[in-house]
Amino acid sequence: MEIKEEKNKTYWDKERLEKFWGRNPTQEFNDRIETQDDIQLEFQEALGGVEQEPSKKKRVFESGSQRDDDTNKPLPNHLDAYVRMRYGYLLRHGGNHYDKGNWRKGQPTEAALESLHRHLAKFEMNLYNGVEQDEDHLSAIIFGCQLIMKNEEKEGIKIDHYYKPI
């Protein structure tokens, strides 16, 4: 009598993940775990059925490696590359003109607001009059917002002050 040697399968083995989630199971798992209740239930079952606090939940990867759940962590990687590059060119222009990092010395919120409003008005006037933009007013608005946020940081406003977990 032949005894078939069964693979040592774990709950998160690759074949099961591919069957359930498709070709890139780890990415699809990460994409779906935050949004679907049935996935959350399977996740909890895999952890022994123990329901954990959101901050204590873990992600389990194909390799068996684990990481804390990232549900309430910031998403700086979601800042669009096009926007970052345009803004980077504005910073390069300012760095060439005033020295790199000059803005880090600080500027009053009032001065930042004046500039922000001026660039918004210029952008709107050009847009509504069909005039081509003469400079990157939108990046200048982001710059003004950055100056104001840095002032808030100096005032002690915590980085997650406005974040409310859902």
Side-chain angles (χ1 to χ4, degrees):
M1 175 183 240
E2 259 182 57
I3 298 176
K4 288 186 177 180
E5 194 173 308
E6 254 187 67
K7 282 183 176 178
N8 182 15
K9 290 190 174 198
T10 63
Y11 183 83
W12 298 110
D13 77 316
K14 185 177 179 178
E15 290 174 15
R16 182 173 181 167
L17 284 170
E18 284 180 357
K19 182 178 178 185
F20 191 74
W21 280 293
R23 290 182 185 236
N24 189 349
T26 304
Q27 183 61 47
E28 291 186 34
F29 172 79
N30 289 338
D31 291 345
R32 293 174 64 176
I33 190 141
E34 296 177 6
T35 58
Q36 295 186 359
D37 292 338
D38 59 327
I39 304 287
Q40 290 287 354
L41 290 173
E42 286 198 29
F43 182 71
Q44 289 172 1
E45 288 172 15
L47 294 173
V50 178
E51 188 164 328
Q52 299 179 341
E53 299 173 35
S55 62
K56 302 291 183 193
K57 288 184 181 178
K58 294 181 179 141
R59 297 177 284 167
V60 181
F61 300 100
E62 182 179 326
S63 66
S65 175
Q66 299 180 32
R67 288 190 70 110
D68 288 341
D69 179 63
D70 63 354
T71 301
N72 292 316
K73 294 182 181 172
L75 294 171
N77 59 314
H78 282 221
L79 294 169
D80 186 74
Y82 174 80
V83 173
R84 289 193 325 259
M85 291 299 289
R86 275 185 55 181
Y87 184 58
Y89 278 112
L90 177 92
L91 293 175
R92 165 54 63 202
H93 178 73
N96 290 345
H97 190 71
Y98 300 106
D99 293 328
K100 282 194 330 187
N102 176 66
W103 64 270
R104 287 189 171 97
K105 295 175 184 175
Q107 296 180 19
T109 296
E110 296 75 26
L113 278 170
E114 287 174 6
S115 174
L116 190 152
H117 285 290
R118 187 171 49 254
H119 281 286
L120 179 58
K122 286 181 178 181
F123 176 80
E124 287 179 315
M125 288 179 359
N126 290 346
L127 179 69
Y128 296 129
N129 292 315
V131 176
E132 186 176 333
Q133 300 294 337
D134 56 342
E135 62 180 292
D136 193 350
H137 297 295
L138 295 176
S139 290
I141 291 166
I142 294 172
F143 181 75
C145 291
Q146 177 176 268
L147 290 173
I148 295 167
M149 284 191 268
K150 291 302 286 181
N151 288 343
E152 287 184 334
E153 179 185 30
K154 288 176 187 172
E155 293 166 10
I157 295 177
K158 301 284 186 219
I159 201 164
D160 61 351
H161 176 79
Y162 298 105
Y163 176 70
K164 306 287 187 254
I166 53 174

